[in-house]
């Protein structure tokens, strides 16, 4: 299976989840995990499965303004947040909007605070909407992985991400998941 996981991450949590999902899809480690800043070489039409994830910012996918806010928060050393090397540049929203029509199977995930989705929002809903708009069929409903108030992944979330990835691998092409 030709699969790839593309992520956006300011502080590393979404990257850790992306890496766990890739391990779940292929425990042998053959699924590339790429930051959205390094996706020039990807031909989405050439994949069996495209998995895309990003952090929830202001209830949705990040925007330039929210990424700037995240960078500012990281420069506040009291917060203890380390900025990812790939945190500069555009996000998932801009990348997906630049797709010409593709096709095939895809899945969306996000990271967000540990509270009711009605309160937090979920970037994965917008990601899956853009994926469908580009012609992808969803292999699974959008999924969230949770961080605590200090922006650390909750215990067990990487394991859950790995299991979610494993289920994506085994999802038959005509399984339900395309409708939210
Ligand atoms: C500017 C900004 C806005 C945020 N807005 C939300 C939000 O609306 N809902 C939520 O659940 N989390 C929100 N968060 C928390 C992020 O979802 C959390 O920091 C993210 O999951 C961490 O992922 P990362 O380490 O990959 O950047 C926000 C964080 C930042 C920096």
């Amino acid at each position: 299976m030709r699969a790839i996981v593309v992520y956006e991450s300011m502080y590393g949590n979404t990257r850790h989840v992306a890496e766990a999902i890739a391990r779940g899809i292929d425990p042998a480690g053959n699924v590339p995990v790429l930051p959205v800043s390094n996706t020039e070489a990807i031909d989405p039409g050439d994949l069996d499965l495209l998995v895309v994830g990003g952090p929830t910012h202001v209830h949705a996918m990040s925007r330039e303004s929210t990424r700037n806010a995240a960078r500012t928060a990281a420069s506040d050393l009291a917060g203890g947040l380390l900025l990812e090397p790939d945190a500069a540049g555009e996000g998932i929203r801009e990348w997906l909007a630049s797709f010409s029509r593709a096709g095939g199977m895809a899945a969306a995930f996000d990271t967000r605070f540990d509270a009711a989705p009605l309160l937090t929002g979920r970037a994965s809903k917008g990601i899956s909407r853009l994926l469908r708009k580009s012609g992808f069929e969803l292999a699974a409903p959008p999924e969230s992985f949770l961080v605590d108030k200090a922006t650390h992944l909750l215990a067990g979330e990487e394991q859950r991400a790995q299991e979610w990835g494993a289920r994506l691998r085994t999802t038959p092409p005509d399984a339900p998941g395309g409708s939210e």
Side-chain angles (χ1 to χ4, degrees):
M1 169 189 257
R2 291 160 305 168
I4 195 163
V5 182
V6 175
Y7 70 90
E8 172 192 334
S9 183
M10 302 304 291
Y11 306 134
N13 295 288
T14 316
R15 174 171 59 78
H16 287 304
V17 170
E19 288 165 352
I21 291 169
R23 284 197 299 277
I25 298 170
D26 179 14
N30 294 315
V31 172
V33 182
L34 293 178
V36 65
S37 59
N38 188 21
T39 47
E40 299 84 15
I42 297 178
D43 176 359
D46 200 28
L47 297 168
D48 298 312
L49 176 67
L50 172 65
V51 184
V52 182
T56 301
H57 279 183
V58 194
H59 295 243
M61 285 176 277
S62 78
R63 296 179 181 277
E64 193 178 354
S65 58
T66 67
R67 292 192 294 275
N68 285 339
R71 285 182 205 111
T72 304
S75 63
D76 168 15
L77 289 180
L81 293 168
L82 278 181
L83 214 51
E84 287 283 288
D86 300 295
E90 35 174 61
I92 289 291
R93 180 194 294 272
E94 293 80 7
W95 180 60
L96 288 177
S98 73
F99 270 25
S100 53
R101 201 162 172 81
M105 302 298 285
F109 71 97
D110 63 51
T111 53
R112 62 174 175 85
F113 286 137
D114 178 20
L118 210 60
L119 300 175
T120 63
R122 298 166 63 198
S124 55
K125 289 192 80 170
I127 295 171
S128 58
R129 200 176 308 121
L130 289 181
L131 285 167
R132 281 210 309 270
K133 211 170 147 192
S134 292
F136 288 97
E137 195 180 331
L138 294 191
E143 185 61 74
S144 291
F145 299 93
L146 304 177
V147 303
D148 63 17
K149 288 197 178 82
T151 318
H152 297 130
L153 275 176
L154 297 191
E157 288 301 77
E158 282 187 62
Q159 179 62 31
R160 198 165 66 79
Q162 188 166 329
E163 288 161 9
W164 190 70
R167 285 201 297 279
L168 292 179
R169 179 187 62 218
T170 53
T171 304
D174 55 353
S179 58
E180 281 172 54

